[in-house]
């Protein structure tokens, strides 16, 4: 849905973005807008007036990441650290979690009518809508500083994903043509995500909703429209009304962490028969027992474990990160039920560079494991592949990459 924002560094080859003639590239950009983008926009019903208004005063933003200007070579090396895919504990720092919870409760009261309407129309619980809203834009309090046409135009013209951003640029022009955005206020993140729900433009066209009945889907200035749009997105991605997102559990040593993943689901009652239990002595809700559940261990044996439902993977459709979906479910529960921290703490894992994890993934692939791609991101396929590799060596499975494993895998 949206592109996650993360910190990273690029090491460019000899011909770098700073070495090109920027004034010449700016001229090429204006020609490209007229010769390439305008015909595409016109074919989608965008007027010349809308087009000219969108790009009036817009120039290239040379500070955006991932740019490959004409005359520059592509990056030769990328090294990245991400909270989503590094130390999981960083994603659940006390301050952000408690802040999202406290403000979420205020918003639950302030916008009770809009939340009830959205929940009634879609089946998506208000607490989940609130948690996403809080994560994406701090309930509308976080500044969304960029001109969307500057960002999308720059990335469509000279980024490593130019084709993708070209499609999003045309979608943004369609939004402007329809009059949804406030006058001169098509604001986005550095990645082009729009408004309080942080929708990419194509997602706006598919899921933005009019929650306040004024005929527009204003996700920049209308809380009711923001709430309705988040709920609509989740509903159309398959949210199952009446089911929870998941439960923190205790996983006995007799149950392998390599059983993790949405392709290894079984009824929650079956997980319970294997000895998996909810933390704190709670029972699984009776209506959940026959529903399918999936083991989810985002830090392997070095952190809390969960049995999640199909709704967890609907949350992942909003942002493809296990920890994002877990944050949303957890904060939603804290808002609605007053729950505290996870019963199990996060272990000291997740300090590796993505480039190092990618090397481990390639070694696992050479051994016949499906790691989901050597991208340096330890998702469930990588975690359980590590567990299976450890078990094949006669070791206790931990199911998370650790520095000392790198040399053993490379042998």
């Amino acid at each position: 849905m949206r592109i996650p924002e993360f910190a990273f560094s690029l090491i460019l080859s000899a011909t770098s973005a700073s070495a090109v003639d920027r004034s010449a590239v700016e001229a090429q950009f204006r020609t490209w807008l007229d010769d390439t983008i305008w015909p595409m926009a016109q074919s989608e019903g965008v007027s010349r007036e809308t087009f000219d208004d969108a790009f009036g005063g817009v120039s290239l933003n040379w500070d955006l990441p991932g740019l490959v200007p004409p005359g520059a070579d592509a990056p030769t090396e990328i090294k990245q650290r991400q909270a989503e895919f590094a130390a999981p504990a960083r994603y659940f720092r006390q301050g952000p979690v408690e802040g999202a919870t406290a403000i979420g409760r205020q918003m639950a009261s302030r916008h009770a009518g809009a939340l009830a309407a959205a929940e009634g129309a879609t089946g998506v619980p208000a607490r989940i809508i609130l948690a996403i809203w809080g994560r994406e834009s701090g309930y509308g309090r976080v500044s969304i500083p960029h001109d969307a046409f500057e960002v999308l135009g720059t990335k469509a013209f000279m980024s490593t994903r130019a084709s993708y951003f070209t499609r999003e640029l045309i979608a943004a022009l369609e939004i402007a043509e329809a009059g949804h955005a406030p006058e001169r206020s098509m604001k986005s993140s550095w990645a082009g995500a729009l408004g309080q729900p942080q929708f990419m433009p194509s997602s706006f066209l598919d899921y933005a909703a009019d929650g306040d009945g004024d005929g527009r889907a204003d996700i920049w200035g209308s809380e009711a429209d923001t709430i309705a749009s988040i709920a609509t997105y989740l509903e159309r991605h398959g949210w199952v009304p009446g089911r929870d997102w998941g439960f923190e559990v205790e996983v006995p040593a007799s149950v392998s962490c390599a059983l993790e993943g949405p392709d290894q689901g079984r009824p929650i009652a079956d997980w319970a028969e294997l000895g998996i239990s909810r933390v704190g002595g709670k029972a699984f809700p009776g209506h959940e027992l026959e529903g399918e559940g999936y083991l989810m261990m985002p830090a392997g044996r070095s952190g809390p474990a969960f049995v999640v439902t199909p709704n967890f993977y609907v949350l992942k459709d909003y942002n493809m990160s296990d920890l994002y979906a877990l944050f949303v479910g957890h904060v939603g529960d804290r808002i609605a039920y007053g729950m505290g921290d996870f019963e199990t703490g996060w272990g000291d894992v997740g300090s590796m560079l993505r480039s190092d994890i990618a090397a481990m993934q390639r070694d696992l692939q050479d051994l016949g494991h499906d790691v989901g791609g050597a991208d340096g991101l330890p998702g469930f396929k990588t975690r359980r592949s590590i567990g299976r590799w450890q078990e094949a060596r006669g070791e206790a499975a931990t199911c998370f990459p650790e520095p000392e494993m790198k040399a053993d895998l490379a042998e």
Side-chain angles (χ1 to χ4, degrees):
M1 196 282 307
R2 77 173 178 92
I3 298 174
E5 299 190 14
F6 46 81
F8 62 95
S9 63
L10 294 179
I11 301 175
L12 294 177
S13 58
T15 307
S16 69
S18 61
V20 302
D21 182 345
R22 291 193 178 188
S23 61
V25 174
E26 291 280 359
Q28 292 178 55
F29 173 60
R30 302 310 305 189
T31 299
W32 171 79
L33 286 175
D34 283 333
D35 293 351
T36 300
I37 299 303
W38 164 240
M40 295 172 67
Q42 186 178 34
S43 70
E44 297 297 331
V46 176
S47 70
R48 187 71 203 195
E49 180 182 7
T50 295
F51 185 85
D52 289 342
D53 284 347
F55 293 107
V58 167
S59 59
L60 293 169
N61 185 336
W62 293 85
D63 294 327
L64 296 174
L67 302 183
V68 185
D73 297 330
T76 57
E77 183 178 358
I78 299 176
K79 288 191 176 183
Q80 300 177 332
R81 292 181 187 267
Q82 295 189 58
E84 287 93 338
F85 306 104
R90 279 183 269 163
Y91 212 92
F92 294 90
R93 294 190 304 272
Q94 189 172 21
V97 169
E98 291 185 351
T101 301
I103 299 173
R105 289 172 182 158
Q106 296 173 20
M107 294 297 142
S109 176
R110 186 175 304 169
H111 301 289
L115 288 162
E119 182 170 348
T122 64
V124 179
R127 72 184 195 278
I128 296 297
I129 300 169
L130 286 165
I132 288 180
W133 186 16
R135 183 65 189 174
E136 294 298 331
S137 65
Y139 305 99
R141 299 182 178 197
V142 173
S143 173
I144 303 170
H146 297 288
D147 182 297
F149 294 107
E150 176 186 275
V151 169
L152 295 168
T154 299
K155 285 183 167 285
F157 179 62
M158 59 175 190
S159 83
T160 54
R161 301 180 63 196
S163 296
Y164 168 79
F165 283 107
T166 296
R167 294 191 296 272
E168 295 298 337
L169 177 59
I170 299 303
L173 288 164
E174 292 180 67
I175 294 167
E177 181 67 28
H180 290 295
E183 188 70 20
R184 305 301 302 165
S185 295
M186 182 83 84
K187 296 297 184 180
S188 78
S189 71
W190 65 263
L194 305 175
Q196 297 185 45
Q198 287 290 273
F199 280 178
M200 292 305 291
S202 58
S203 290
F204 180 103
L205 293 177
D206 288 338
Y207 309 113
D210 175 16
D212 57 18
D214 68 353
R216 297 166 57 224
D218 176 10
I219 62 171
W220 294 268
S222 170
E223 291 85 357
D225 290 0
T226 295
I227 288 166
S229 297
I230 293 170
T232 298
Y233 184 97
L234 296 177
E235 177 199 28
R236 296 197 186 159
H237 280 79
W239 186 273
V240 182
R243 293 208 69 184
D244 212 316
W245 66 268
F247 311 92
E248 187 183 357
V249 297
E250 295 177 355
V251 180
S254 59
V255 177
S256 172
C257 53
L259 290 175
E260 183 182 6
D263 54 351
Q264 299 191 97
R266 61 184 72 193
I268 289 178
D270 289 3
W271 290 115
E273 288 183 9
L274 289 176
I276 291 178
S277 59
R278 286 186 72 183
V279 296
K282 301 174 186 175
F284 290 108
H287 71 277
E288 293 277 10
L289 290 174
E290 298 307 313
E292 192 164 55
Y294 317 93
L295 186 61
M296 206 276 290
M297 302 179 72
R301 289 281 181 183
S302 297
F306 306 86
V307 168
V308 299
T309 77
N311 285 338
F312 179 85
Y313 294 99
V314 175
L315 296 178
K316 281 193 67 174
D317 284 335
Y318 208 97
N319 181 312
M320 289 301 294
S321 161
D322 286 336
L323 297 182
Y324 175 93
L326 186 57
F327 181 96
V328 167
H330 179 57
V331 168
D333 288 350
R334 291 174 74 119
I335 289 170
Y337 308 133
M339 296 175 65
D341 294 336
F342 296 127
E343 294 282 339
T344 301
W346 298 97
D348 184 19
V349 295
S351 61
M352 296 182 68
L353 290 171
R354 278 181 58 176
S355 53
D356 291 332
I357 296 173
M360 293 175 60
Q361 289 170 322
R362 288 190 291 271
D363 290 333
L364 286 164
Q365 286 177 325
D366 290 344
L367 293 172
H369 293 279
D370 176 10
V371 297
D375 56 4
L377 309 179
F380 75 90
K381 287 186 176 181
T382 295
R383 296 194 295 264
R384 72 187 186 192
S385 293
I386 288 171
R388 290 167 180 170
W389 169 74
Q390 291 172 312
E391 289 171 347
R393 288 161 56 92
E395 301 173 357
T398 62
C399 296
F400 203 80
E402 299 172 13
E404 58 269 22
M405 296 176 184
K406 187 179 176 184
D408 292 339
L409 276 166
E411 290 177 352

